[in-house]
Amino acid sequence: MADVPRTPVIVQLDAAVPPGEEAELREALAEAGFDVFAQDLPKVRGAENLDAIALLMIPLHAFLTTAGEHLAADAYAHFKSGIRRLLRRPAKDAAKPAPLIVQDTTTGLKIVMERDLPDEAYEALRTLDLTTFRSGPIDWDGGHKRWRSVVDEADGV
């Protein structure tokens, strides 16, 4: 039987993140069947980029489907733990710690993973329907307990 090609995932890390700090996240993604490549975030970023400690570029729907159907609960917990490990890094600007951005490589939508996301946000991410969004970034609204795009809401979408 021929090997099924593994989908690439890129994790770009801020230079302040020591090598290997993303290992837990890489392991969780590898368990889900992805080939993970770590790179440094570009030093010069355009206006379309958000300031982040890390940028994870992944076919998000495929990952969430895999996480929902094939991965055990502990593997998804491993993914959450890997993200939280990166987010716990001391912030360059303590007043505004940089988030981790998850970018869906299919739609280009960016999901902002803040340092203090509750477990319910991670659980809601597992069932997030990206087709309901036109623009990003998408962030967690703790008051309404849902993922949302402020841009879509401003445009009346």
Side-chain angles (χ1 to χ4, degrees):
M1 185 165 116
D3 287 334
V4 176
R6 293 167 61 94
T7 303
V9 170
I10 298 172
V11 180
Q12 292 185 339
L13 301 166
D14 185 271
V17 178
E21 193 73 17
E22 82 293 349
E24 186 173 10
L25 182 58
R26 288 175 65 140
E27 286 175 24
L29 292 167
E31 288 172 19
F34 295 96
D35 277 334
V36 185
F37 303 94
Q39 305 172 341
D40 289 337
L41 272 170
K43 292 190 187 320
V44 178
R45 299 191 278 271
E48 74 280 358
N49 294 320
L50 300 169
D51 185 32
I53 193 162
L55 172 63
L56 172 62
M57 290 177 279
I58 183 172
L60 193 56
H61 178 73
F63 171 71
L64 294 175
T65 300
T66 301
E69 293 177 3
H70 302 295
L71 292 180
D74 59 337
Y76 191 69
H78 198 56
F79 170 74
K80 287 191 308 187
S81 178
I83 287 178
R84 285 180 168 158
R85 177 185 301 272
L86 286 172
L87 288 172
R88 279 193 298 257
R89 301 249 354 110
K92 291 179 193 173
D93 180 357
K96 189 174 186 289
L100 181 145
I101 306 296
V102 177
Q103 181 174 1
D104 178 44
T105 55
T106 305
T107 64
L109 288 171
K110 293 179 181 170
I111 299 174
V112 180
M113 309 292 289
E114 296 285 352
R115 183 177 295 246
D116 57 354
L117 279 179
D119 284 337
E120 65 189 328
Y122 286 94
E123 290 309 312
L125 182 63
R126 290 178 77 167
T127 59
L128 186 63
D129 181 0
L130 294 176
T131 64
T132 62
F133 300 98
R134 290 183 38 185
S135 302
I138 299 166
D139 61 356
W140 178 251
D141 179 345
H144 292 99
K145 301 190 183 316
R146 66 184 176 97
W147 289 98
R148 66 181 240 185
S149 166
V150 175
V151 175
D152 282 357
E153 291 173 8
D155 289 344
V157 176

